[in-house]
Amino acid sequence: MLKLNRTLLGTMLVERSLVTREQVDQALAEQRRQGNARRLGEILVESRALSEAALLQVLSEQLDCPVIDLTHEPPDPDTIHIVPSEFALRHHLLPIRQEDHSLTVAMADPLDIQSIDDLRLLTGFNVVPLLASPTEIRRAAEQLYMQQMLEDVQSQEQATSEDDGLDVADLQKMAREELVIQMVNLIINQAIQDRASDIHIEPFERDLRVRYRVDGVLHEVNPPPKRLHAAIISRIKILSDMNIAERRLPQDGRMRIRAAGRQIDLRVSTVPTLYGESAVLRILDKQTAMLGLQELGMFGDMFTRFRYLITEPHGIILVTGPTGSGKTTTLYAALNEIYSAEKKIITIEDPVEYQLNGVNQIQVHPQINLTFANGLRHIVRQDPDVIMVGEIRDAETVEIAIHAALTGHLVFSTLHTNDASGAISRMLDMGAEPYLVASSLIGSIAQRLVRINCPRCKVPVTESPVELNQVGITPEMMEHHVIMAGQGCPECRGVGFRGRSGLFEMLTVDDTIRGMIVNRAPSTEIRQYAMRSQGMQTLLQDGRRRILNGDTTVKEVLRVCQREDFD
């Protein structure tokens, strides 16, 4: 039994000069803000006030619990089978060794009595907890459990690569095999632990490929054998309430699971390919997607202007950018900012990815003629104050959105354009009258997402003059700034980046721009005026600021932003 030292963790850390009292108070405030869902030490480590190694040593002393380094003391592979993978990943623990009637277990939280009791009932062993790094537990668990599953596959005939020869009964039986269930659960759990936004399961002639999209970039992970492909896809279809007998047509579905102590939705899409069905699972984690306005990445004057813009009583505000650039997240943050019991907010989306408290959300259904245009037409009759349209796609939707804005509604929507001024040209190209666009549009924001340097492993680096010139960084600027880049560590899985943030370009429509719209001025002319008279920063210029602040790298900004000519 652990002997808990009653001295508070924060006090112990301050006494050892590992953190300051101010840092502890800030972490406690953040803990309260999150409803005590996370521990103090975890928040201090994430904020870089404290290293994980130092935290483990102090926790070991406070709990009178030894620390185990899984890198140098790996678990016994023969012990892994004692604890199911799903249980281990969900409770952040890993069996290390089994002796007589005792099971030694590495735990991220040795005080989690409920998990220890559940494990004792599950295994029948007395549980001896050891303290270990959550990062090391996750890494070792993923590697060992996947290795165990692959060995199990090699020892039994589970399926065949001839998918066309399998009937529905075979597929249903295979999808309910324990090995397949564990394999799918592990793939999904590992993706959630890695903060992935999508899971790609792709069949090829000789193998099966599984990739996670983390921070906008795909990363390949250890895949199951190709002969398990049909069983895995069938399992996913069953969970998503899809037709497992139909393998010739694309299908869409949805599933809801509980992982890491929270509820997570997954949107599933399957399409037939040359070598079988390919599946993509979009992970809809409300905790990671619902950001506050201040967490988007806007700074200074741009943040102030955007906050003012979304409190206007009427008009159209457009967020532009390619697919996956965070447009919907920005709109959700804006709606959360302006929401009150005095306002009625209605959205029409395709699909509704996240549920917003207090907001009426409508799902588009083209099959029954519930399109953006039709839905928007009826929304206006519901007496809303604020309307969000998932995307303006055609002339009819543009026309209704404009009239909604002109009749006293604040309308948010998205467009696929390269920059903020391009939204004006796009609306005109779709058939909107210039004078109506000029009267209704009050602002346009272009955005991109860049990966942020891992706070654990970022170090100063030297960039070549050619690359610096491409983003407009001069030698004079470098006299007061240091460019940083992540070197790769276990926390970021060797990538050097952890998390993403937005780059923004905001155009506010003033009287001069209204006149330019009426006269059908080119978007480049409107853009130049906004830069000259409004001080508008382009996406690349906002990226340059983030580089000089040490937040990201030159290559990352150039990956998502168009190059410009700098004088």
Side-chain angles (χ1 to χ4, degrees), residues 50-246:
L50 180 69
S51 70
E52 189 174 60
L55 173 65
L56 288 174
Q57 291 302 321
V58 176
L59 283 174
S60 175
E61 181 180 340
Q62 184 192 32
L63 304 177
D64 192 23
C65 179
V67 177
I68 181 171
D69 184 347
L70 297 178
T71 305
H72 298 97
E73 298 181 62
D76 180 359
D78 295 332
T79 309
I80 291 296
H81 71 277
I82 296 176
V83 180
S85 60
E86 188 175 358
F87 184 94
L89 291 168
R90 183 169 70 249
H91 294 284
H92 304 289
L93 55 84
L94 188 65
I96 302 300
R97 55 184 173 271
Q98 184 257 321
E99 298 173 346
D100 297 328
H101 298 290
S102 296
L103 180 65
T104 302
V105 180
M107 300 185 68
D109 181 11
L111 286 181
D112 188 352
I113 305 301
Q114 184 64 55
S115 294
I116 293 175
D117 288 343
D118 290 346
L119 188 59
R120 186 183 297 115
L121 290 172
L122 179 69
T123 63
F125 293 115
N126 293 322
V127 177
V128 180
L130 298 178
L131 183 63
S133 158
T135 305
E136 289 185 6
I137 290 176
R138 184 189 66 196
R139 176 189 54 76
E142 291 167 358
Q143 180 180 350
L144 290 168
Y145 279 113
M146 182 61 77
Q147 181 179 343
Q148 181 197 45
M149 288 182 188
L150 294 179
E151 290 173 355
D152 290 344
V153 170
Q154 292 170 0
S155 65
Q156 56 183 290
E157 289 295 326
Q158 282 289 330
T160 173
S161 59
E162 298 295 332
D163 294 351
D164 292 337
L166 299 171
D167 59 25
V168 176
D170 291 332
L171 291 173
Q172 289 177 333
K173 181 180 178 182
M174 289 160 50
R176 288 179 170 83
E177 292 284 350
E178 182 65 24
L179 178 63
V180 175
I181 292 173
Q182 288 188 6
M183 187 75 73
V184 172
N185 290 346
L186 187 62
I187 289 173
I188 294 174
N189 275 300
Q190 183 177 343
I192 293 170
Q193 293 287 341
D194 288 352
R195 302 175 300 104
S197 60
D198 301 88
I199 304 170
H200 294 248
I201 302 174
E202 305 159 313
F204 292 93
E205 183 178 9
R206 299 183 183 279
D207 55 13
L208 184 65
R209 183 161 66 172
V210 177
R211 295 189 291 173
Y212 298 158
R213 188 177 295 279
V214 181
D215 295 334
V217 178
L218 287 169
H219 300 278
E220 195 161 354
V221 298
N222 290 333
K226 175 70 185 325
R227 54 200 175 108
L228 279 182
H229 169 243
I232 289 172
I233 296 296
S234 297
R235 176 65 184 169
I236 291 171
K237 283 184 172 183
I238 289 172
L239 292 173
S240 308
D241 197 22
M242 296 159 68
N243 182 4
I244 66 170
E246 181 55 75

Side-chain angles (χ1 to χ4, degrees), residues 434-454:
Y435 72 94
L436 292 176
V437 176
S439 302
S440 59
L441 186 65
I442 60 174
S444 173
I445 300 99
Q447 76 174 72
R448 301 289 188 276
L449 291 177
V450 291
R451 293 179 292 173
I452 298 300
N453 290 328
C454 174

Side-chain angles (χ1 to χ4, degrees), residues 21 42 61 90 129 137-138 143 157 163 171 196 211 271 278 308 321-322 346 369 381 397 405 431 466 474 480 517 548:
R21 173 52 61 183
E42 181 185 354
E61 181 180 340
R90 183 169 70 249
I137 290 176
R138 184 189 66 196
Q143 180 180 350
E157 289 295 326
D163 294 351
L171 291 173
R211 295 189 291 173
V271 296
S278 173
Y308 173 79
I346 303 180
N369 202 31
R381 299 171 189 162
T397 310
V466 175
T474 64
H480 306 287
I517 294 173
L548 293 174

